Amino acid sequence: MREITPVLLCGGGGTRLWPLSRQSYPKQFAYMTEGQTLFQASAQRMTGEAESYRFQRPHVITTRDFRFIAAEQLYEAGVDPGAILLEPEGRNTAPAILAAALFISAQDPDAILLVSPSDHVVPDVPAFRDAVVRGLTAVEQGNLVTFGITPDHPETGYGYLELPGPPPDDGAPCPLTGFFEKPDQATAEAMLEKGTYLWNAGIFLFAAKDFIAAVQKHAPQLIDPVSEAVTAAMPDLGFLDLDAGAWAGAEEISVDYAVMEKADNLWVVPYSGAWSDLGSWESVLREGTPDSGGVVLSGQAHHIDCTDSLLWSESPGLELVGIGLDNTIAVATPDAVLVADRSRSQDVKQAVALLKSTGASQATEFPMDHRPWGHFETLALADRFQVKRIVVKPGGILSLQSHLHRSEHWIVVAGTALVTIGETEQIVAENESVYVPLGVKHRLENPGKMPMVLIEVQTGSYLGEDDITRHEDVYARSAD
């Protein structure tokens, strides 16, 4: 039985689904589908055995910012990962895929890799696996294989793949003529009419050694810095940190530009099953279940006399109501609201750029901040005080820390906390509170078997997250 090693790319911080997806917590980690995140669904899609092959443990390449989120979500999904490689900084897909190929081929020179983004929706898993089987024949002949989605409408948000003729009816691999960037509406309509174009899914299947050879031929400038970054990588709490100095010398370039558009051994497997990269709110609407008026609702959202619209409320305590809307997208989160015409759904990144120019934190940050021990959210913030809700998962331990500019009051509202203040260690139960004076070393942990929730009231002259001096930390953090 042939073996395939999945490689999941999840370092991106997409903005086209703002305000739900932000730089600090992008869409692949959000619960966009029923009961699981896109990242979890992607990992589960590439685990187990098919008729003629089995998947090895998936390898993941992400950033340090997302390392604990990725590991925790894999654990929750019941997926045992291979290596989780950490990029010191985002350098686009070519260096990331090359790093994974070099690392995996060092352990298995004949490894076959299935490289995929971690933020796509592929509802028909058996059909997807059948497409992988069809691609293996071309891979075994030394080719690089990509997957093209049969278009069902003139989409301007995707890149396209050109075939020499109509795709084979049986979905067999065929040579690829060329790549096209996202077209305008008229060009997309002409491509759809011609019938020789597929959407570029950005999913690849190849032998690691063949991809490395292609990089050596078409993008040799990447080999030395990426190889050095992998060779000098350091283990860190179960992750593998790529060497930052070497990584900085790698060109920031996509795999399409670096290799695929130049390779003469590139084949494509046509895929006619359901697929979406959820690259815009328009695509989210298309993936939803509309009512008789074409309206898709999510969360605490309602409408009166609306048509062909998406209303999405991301907060259980926020009621979103649309009246008389047509072809409209309305998305409400606890700290930001987006209202847009459906025809402008690809322009949401302009809203992010606008907010960045004004210094608004909502451009990149969520009010809920995820940490390896749990998460916190700000409930109130004003001059000289801040109120937070902190949730510590069972076994979670915050760092031993101190602050130069603030004191803190902790009130446990659920579960039990083990609190260290100075030289004193004590159990604080539900409905009990403690005071942490300014400058005193302190630590908070959850020794119980259920999440511990507390309200923290900070008072002081400066309340920023950078006013933390860490003295000990089980997660080996310095400033995050």
Side-chain angles (χ1 to χ4, degrees):
M1 180 174 283
R2 291 170 290 186
E3 296 184 338
I4 298 174
T5 301
V7 175
L8 282 170
L9 308 175
C10 67
T15 59
R16 289 184 295 169
L17 288 186
W18 185 89
L20 180 62
S21 176
R22 306 187 198 180
Q23 183 177 321
S24 67
Y25 201 75
K27 67 174 180 176
Q28 61 262 31
F29 300 120
Y31 287 85
M32 299 290 296
T33 56
E34 188 67 30
Q36 61 182 184
T37 68
L38 298 175
F39 174 61
Q40 290 173 322
S42 298
Q44 290 179 335
R45 187 162 59 245
M46 295 186 285
T47 57
E49 295 186 5
E51 182 177 343
S52 59
Y53 64 89
R54 72 164 59 93
F55 287 114
Q56 298 282 69
R57 294 188 300 165
H59 287 56
V60 175
I61 183 156
T62 185
T63 67
R64 287 188 61 84
D65 290 343
F66 304 143
R67 63 195 188 278
F68 294 113
I69 297 172
E72 183 173 351
Q73 289 201 356
L74 289 172
Y75 174 79
E76 291 175 351
V79 176
D80 182 19
I84 299 180
L85 281 66
L86 304 181
E87 297 178 273
E89 57 181 318
R91 308 301 289 168
N92 215 314
T93 52
I97 296 172
L98 178 59
L102 289 167
F103 176 80
I104 294 168
S105 64
Q107 304 165 66
D108 179 4
D110 296 318
I112 294 176
L113 310 186
L114 177 60
V115 180
S116 173
S118 58
D119 56 0
H120 291 184
V121 174
V122 185
D124 192 342
V125 173
F128 173 79
R129 293 186 174 185
D130 287 345
V132 173
V133 171
R134 296 196 298 273
L136 282 173
T137 302
V139 169
E140 290 168 349
Q141 296 171 351
N143 297 303
L144 309 177
V145 172
T146 186
F147 294 82
I149 311 301
T150 303
D152 58 9
H153 63 275
E155 175 61 56
T156 62
Y158 300 151
Y160 283 71
L161 308 173
E162 183 181 15
L163 280 59
D169 292 336
D170 60 359
C174 56
L176 185 61
T177 301
F179 286 76
F180 285 84
E181 291 299 308
K182 300 172 184 177
D184 58 27
Q185 185 66 27
T187 304
E189 291 173 357
M191 288 176 164
L192 182 66
E193 178 68 24
K194 188 173 183 181
T196 60
Y197 293 87
L198 303 173
W199 290 334
N200 183 2
I203 302 173
F204 303 98
L205 182 71
F206 45 66
K209 60 185 178 183
D210 292 333
F211 179 75
I212 295 169
V215 176
Q216 289 173 328
K217 179 178 180 180
H218 302 295
Q221 73 278 9
L222 295 176
I223 294 292
D224 287 346
V226 176
S227 296
E228 184 180 344
V230 172
T231 302
M234 297 295 292
D236 177 18
L237 294 175
F239 306 101
L240 190 66
D241 260 321
L242 299 175
D243 182 76
W247 191 254
E251 180 184 0
E252 183 174 349
I253 186 171
S254 74
V255 69
D256 285 351
Y257 282 133
V259 177
M260 300 304 175
E261 293 186 2
K262 304 171 184 176
D264 57 6
N265 61 336
L266 186 61
W267 287 56
V268 59
V269 174
Y271 179 75
S272 298
W275 170 90
S276 175
D277 75 343
L278 291 189
S280 68
W281 284 111
E282 173 67 17
S283 62
V284 172
L285 192 155
R286 286 201 182 104
E287 288 298 309
T289 303
D291 64 14
S292 59
V295 178
V296 173
L297 302 174
S298 179
Q300 302 301 111
H302 319 272
H303 80 93
I304 300 172
D305 297 331
C306 295
T307 55
D308 300 324
S309 297
L310 171 69
L311 281 73
W312 185 296
S313 173
E314 190 59 20
S315 175
L318 193 155
E319 300 289 340
L320 174 63
V321 181
I323 302 177
L325 301 176
D326 179 56
N327 285 300
T328 300
I329 291 168
V331 182
T333 65
D335 65 333
V337 176
L338 169 71
V339 181
D341 188 276
R342 283 179 60 179
S343 66
R344 302 293 300 275
S345 66
Q346 292 288 348
D347 297 331
V348 171
K349 58 186 178 182
Q350 296 181 21
V352 177
L354 172 64
L355 291 178
K356 283 183 177 179
S357 70
T358 66
S361 63
Q362 288 91 335
T364 57
E365 303 294 329
F366 273 106
M368 180 179 292
D369 196 323
H370 292 262
R371 298 298 170 96
W373 43 260
H375 64 267
F376 68 83
E377 58 184 319
T378 297
L379 304 179
L381 175 63
D383 185 36
R384 297 189 64 85
F385 82 89
Q386 181 171 207
V387 181
K388 290 182 177 180
R389 178 179 179 267
I390 299 176
V391 179
V392 184
K393 62 188 179 184
I397 305 174
L398 281 68
S399 61
L400 181 66
Q401 58 185 252
S402 60
H403 310 292
L404 294 175
H405 303 287
R406 71 174 186 251
S407 59
E408 297 172 345
H409 299 257
W410 292 343
I411 306 98
V412 176
V413 296
T416 301
L418 176 60
V419 173
T420 300
I421 301 177
E423 301 298 322
T424 302
E425 185 176 271
Q426 67 184 100
I427 290 289
V428 181
E430 189 172 316
N431 293 325
E432 296 180 343
S433 64
V434 293
Y435 171 65
V436 182
L438 183 150
V440 175
K441 293 181 181 179
H442 57 280
R443 189 200 301 274
L444 177 67
E445 55 188 290
N446 180 2
K449 298 185 181 299
M450 59 179 290
M452 184 271 293
V453 183
L454 64 81
I455 300 300
E456 176 181 270
V457 180
Q458 303 175 355
T459 58
S461 58
Y462 179 73
L463 306 173
E465 283 301 308
D466 54 349
D467 180 22
I468 297 178
T469 301
R470 285 196 168 88
H471 306 281
E472 295 175 11
D473 184 49
V474 298
Y475 307 108
R477 298 167 299 164
S478 56
D480 62 341

